């Protein structure tokens, strides 16, 4: 049995190169313990294992963030997971030539299941907070670059967001819709 199979369950999503990863959870009378990253395990699985920046966001119920990405040459692989509350997580394929170009997939991330989404380059990411307060952790393979930071309009690809009156930043409301987006991403 490989190191990876011992620590994590990995499932290919319908978006090529995007995976849902569920780590092994160790529970006892004190609570739980979860290993969310192991360099050699990620490398063995063929996943990016050099993350250079990590940050988190805290969002109130009904907040939608996204759909975000960084453009080349600062595009990055991202791993996201929720350590408090629950989020409706979304990825959208922006890679020209990909058989899933323009398609999206949704996931529910929460602290109980400890599941993560591995997001390759060329994929937009967003989420909606489902709980009163949600904390989402992000690991990225490149450093945040304001000049390469971008997005597409949150409601332009047909996602059925679970918020009747979403709270969205002016920045996110101002992104280009998907149909008008000129993608710089190519399928590898």
């Amino acid at each position: 049995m490989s190191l990876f199979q011992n620590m994590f369950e990995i499932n290919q999503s319908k978006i090529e190169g995007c995976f849902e990863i569920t780590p092994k959870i160790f529970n006892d009378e004190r609570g739980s313990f979860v290993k969310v990253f192991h360099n050699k395990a990620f490398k063995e699985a063929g996943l990016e294992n050099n993350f250079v920046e990590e940050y988190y966001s805290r969002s109130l119920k009904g907040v939608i963030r996204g759909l975000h990405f960084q453009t080349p040459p600062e595009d990055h692989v991202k791993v996201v997971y929720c350590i408090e509350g629950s989020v409706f997580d979304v990825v959208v394929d922006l890679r020209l030539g990909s058989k899933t170009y323009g398609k999206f997939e949704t996931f529910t991330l929460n602290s109980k299941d400890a599941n993560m989404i591995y997001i390759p380059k060329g994929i937009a990411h967003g989420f909606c907070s489902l709980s009163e307060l949600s904390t989402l952790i992000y690991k990225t393979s490149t450093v945040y670059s304001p000049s390469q930071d971008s997005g597409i309009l949150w409601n332009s690809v047909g996602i059925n967001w679970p918020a009747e009156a979403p709270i969205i930043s002016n920045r996110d409301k101002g992104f280009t819709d998907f149909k008008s987006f000129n993608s710089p991403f190519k399928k590898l």
Side-chain angles (χ1 to χ4, degrees):
M1 177 178 282
S2 76
L3 181 61
F4 183 76
Q5 293 168 331
N6 207 18
M7 292 183 192
F8 305 100
E9 178 183 320
I10 183 169
N11 293 299
Q12 171 69 56
S13 76
K14 70 180 182 184
I15 306 295
E16 186 179 355
C18 182
F19 301 96
E20 182 172 11
I21 301 170
T22 306
K24 187 173 182 179
I25 301 171
F26 299 92
N27 293 298
D28 64 20
E29 65 280 355
R30 300 168 295 168
S32 61
F33 179 84
V34 179
K35 183 183 289 196
V36 296
F37 177 73
H38 189 274
N39 186 291
K40 288 182 182 178
F42 270 53
K43 185 176 182 177
E44 180 182 313
L47 303 177
E48 175 67 51
N49 63 331
N50 184 28
F51 295 99
V52 297
E53 194 165 59
E54 183 173 85
Y55 44 95
Y56 68 90
S57 64
R58 299 187 82 208
S59 302
L60 302 174
K61 187 173 186 172
V63 166
I64 293 177
R65 295 182 188 256
L67 298 160
H68 302 143
F69 52 87
Q70 280 195 179
T71 59
E74 299 301 325
D75 49 338
H76 54 224
V77 172
K78 188 184 292 185
V79 173
V80 297
Y81 54 98
C82 184
I83 61 165
E84 176 183 28
S86 179
V87 301
F88 173 82
D89 203 79
V90 179
V91 294
V92 180
D93 193 344
L94 303 177
R95 300 167 297 182
L96 297 171
S98 168
K99 62 184 170 191
T100 55
Y101 174 75
K103 304 273 191 248
F104 65 87
E105 185 160 9
T106 65
F107 308 87
T108 300
L109 302 180
N110 59 64
S111 53
K112 178 182 153 281
D113 295 332
N115 55 330
M116 303 176 272
I117 306 302
Y118 178 92
I119 304 166
K121 294 178 180 181
I123 305 292
H125 172 255
F127 69 92
C128 177
S129 177
L130 299 173
S131 53
E132 292 307 315
L133 183 63
S134 298
T135 302
L136 199 71
I137 306 283
Y138 312 72
K139 290 182 177 310
T140 59
S141 64
T142 62
V143 174
Y144 173 70
S145 174
S147 63
Q148 308 305 133
D149 188 36
S150 193
I152 58 170
L153 192 60
W154 66 280
N155 61 355
S156 65
V157 291
I159 298 163
N160 186 18
W161 293 97
E164 289 182 27
I167 303 163
I168 303 166
S169 72
N170 287 334
R171 175 181 174 263
D172 288 0
K173 289 178 187 176
F175 285 136
T176 301
D177 71 356
F178 177 74
K179 288 182 182 175
S180 302
F181 176 66
N182 185 15
S183 181
F185 301 108
K186 308 276 189 279
K187 183 176 183 271
L188 298 178

